[in-house]
Amino acid sequence: QDVNVVYRPENVISLKYRLEGIKRFCRSRTLGWYYEEKQIRKRIDNYQLLRTGRTTSTQKTRLYDTSAEKFQQAKGLSRWAEIQNIKEASKILNYLTEKGIATQEELEQRSILTYGQRVQLVGDLNKLQRQIETVTDTIKLVKKYKKYKPFYDAYQSATFRKKYEKEHKQELQQFSDAKSALLERFPDRKIPSLERLSQEREKLIEQRNVQNGVFRQVVAELKELDYARTTIEEYLYSQQQVQENQQKKDDELY
């Protein structure tokens, strides 16, 4: 089904959607964070990186634009800036050498590969989180079942069941809800003990913590690779601009 989108960044409500055939638009914020402008930009950026090895955003580097007028008018300042740029470029080249990256193509391929690892880790972390939430919810259900089971047992042995049911209607309903939910999860009626469930939860949390550590390392490497690529490209461009400016000056002398 087609979706009509209105994007006006100058407005307070910058983005809104409307399904074909529906009269009114729905704000992105109403649909949830996944549909807001910031998140959509992030997904576009991620897709661009995965497809081409380049992001749509640009990191700010530590390089100086020596082609700027203030550097062109002061030779000492220009020379100082060039030295700083050479030092920064050298750091980046050393970093790439340590990573075993020798060409721009290899740098882009490494970025794509690393981003692929990030995508995989996000999927793994989301899966672990869902498992943790499921086990946590099951623990709550088991505790709820145990808490209200004495009311059910008392009801079963009560001489006047209708009276007991009326007096403890809420407790009996809580027990029934917990029992139904557990049987839905464990149709074979083999409900794990609280101890076993707690151990399973702790194990999943430990796995998540390990994966989180790996994820942070991969994200950090992605930023380093992106900064390296941006710095090298900016440095080469800056050198080209300096050469072109120098060539223009030389041409003016003739």
Side-chain angles (χ1 to χ4, degrees):
Q1 190 172 11
D2 293 336
V3 178
N4 297 317
V5 181
V6 173
Y7 176 56
R8 295 192 178 94
E10 69 277 5
N11 293 352
V12 174
I13 304 171
S14 62
L15 192 59
K16 53 187 180 180
Y17 306 86
R18 181 180 66 182
L19 289 174
E20 186 179 11
I22 303 298
K23 292 184 178 181
R24 299 185 64 180
F25 279 89
C26 185
R27 302 178 183 182
S28 58
R29 186 181 304 172
T30 303
L31 293 173
W33 66 271
Y34 189 80
Y35 296 92
E36 292 183 2
E37 179 185 350
K38 182 179 179 180
Q39 295 301 323
I40 290 177
R41 286 185 178 277
K42 185 182 295 184
R43 292 201 295 279
I44 292 173
D45 194 46
N46 290 341
Y47 170 77
Q48 181 76 1
L49 175 61
L50 189 61
R51 188 173 66 87
T52 66
R54 296 172 177 271
T55 62
T56 55
S57 59
T58 303
Q59 287 199 52
K60 182 176 177 58
T61 70
R62 301 183 184 90
L63 297 178
Y64 295 92
D65 182 10
T66 54
S67 64
E69 185 177 354
K70 65 177 182 179
F71 291 107
Q72 294 299 308
Q73 293 179 350
K75 291 184 177 181
L77 182 62
S78 177
R79 179 56 182 165
W80 174 85
E82 287 177 2
I83 292 174
Q84 300 306 312
N85 287 349
I86 291 172
K87 288 180 178 179
E88 184 65 18
S90 296
K91 289 181 183 178
I92 297 302
L93 290 175
N94 289 337
Y95 165 78
L96 294 177
T97 300
E98 291 174 359
K99 292 288 184 180
I101 299 172
T103 65
Q104 187 174 5
E105 290 74 17
E106 290 179 359
L107 176 57
E108 292 178 357
Q109 287 300 315
R110 177 66 69 85
S111 296
I112 294 173
L113 178 62
T114 306
Y115 178 72
Q117 291 177 326
R118 179 186 181 279
V119 171
Q120 180 64 48
L121 284 166
V122 168
D124 293 343
L125 284 167
N126 286 337
K127 182 179 178 181
L128 283 169
Q129 184 60 36
R130 288 193 296 269
Q131 291 175 325
I132 291 171
E133 290 171 356
T134 298
V135 175
T136 300
D137 193 40
T138 302
I139 289 174
K140 291 179 181 178
L141 286 173
V142 172
K143 287 182 177 179
K144 184 178 179 180
Y145 175 89
K146 287 181 174 293
K147 178 180 178 180
Y148 292 105
K149 190 175 186 301
F151 291 94
Y152 176 76
D153 293 339
Y155 166 76
Q156 290 292 93
S157 60
T159 303
F160 302 100
R161 286 191 174 183
K162 288 187 177 180
K163 181 182 177 181
Y164 187 90
E165 182 180 7
K166 184 177 180 180
E167 292 175 348
H168 300 282
K169 182 179 181 180
Q170 184 176 354
E171 290 85 354
L172 291 171
Q173 186 61 53
Q174 292 285 352
F175 171 78
S176 178
D177 292 344
K179 181 180 178 181
S180 298
L182 286 171
L183 288 176
E184 186 176 343
R185 297 189 182 196
F186 305 98
D188 58 359
R189 294 178 176 269
K190 296 180 180 179
I191 301 173
S193 65
L194 280 173
E195 182 180 1
R196 180 181 169 186
L197 288 168
S198 296
Q199 289 174 351
E200 182 181 352
R201 183 174 181 274
E202 289 302 317
K203 184 178 179 180
L204 288 169
I205 290 175
E206 184 178 350
Q207 292 176 4
R208 183 190 62 184
N209 291 340
V210 172
Q211 291 291 74
N212 260 325
V214 177
F215 176 75
R216 287 193 292 269
Q217 290 176 357
V218 169
V219 170
E221 183 177 359
L222 263 179
K223 290 181 179 180
E224 290 172 350
L225 291 170
D226 189 50
Y227 180 79
R229 181 179 59 237
T230 303
T231 300
I232 293 300
E233 291 181 351
E234 190 174 311
Y235 178 76
L236 293 175
Y237 177 77
S238 176
Q239 292 300 301
Q240 180 182 352
Q241 291 296 106
V242 170
Q243 291 177 3
E244 290 178 358
N245 289 338
Q246 185 60 48
Q247 185 62 49
K248 289 180 180 179
K249 291 181 179 179
D250 292 343
D251 292 341
E252 289 174 357
L253 295 176
Y254 295 95

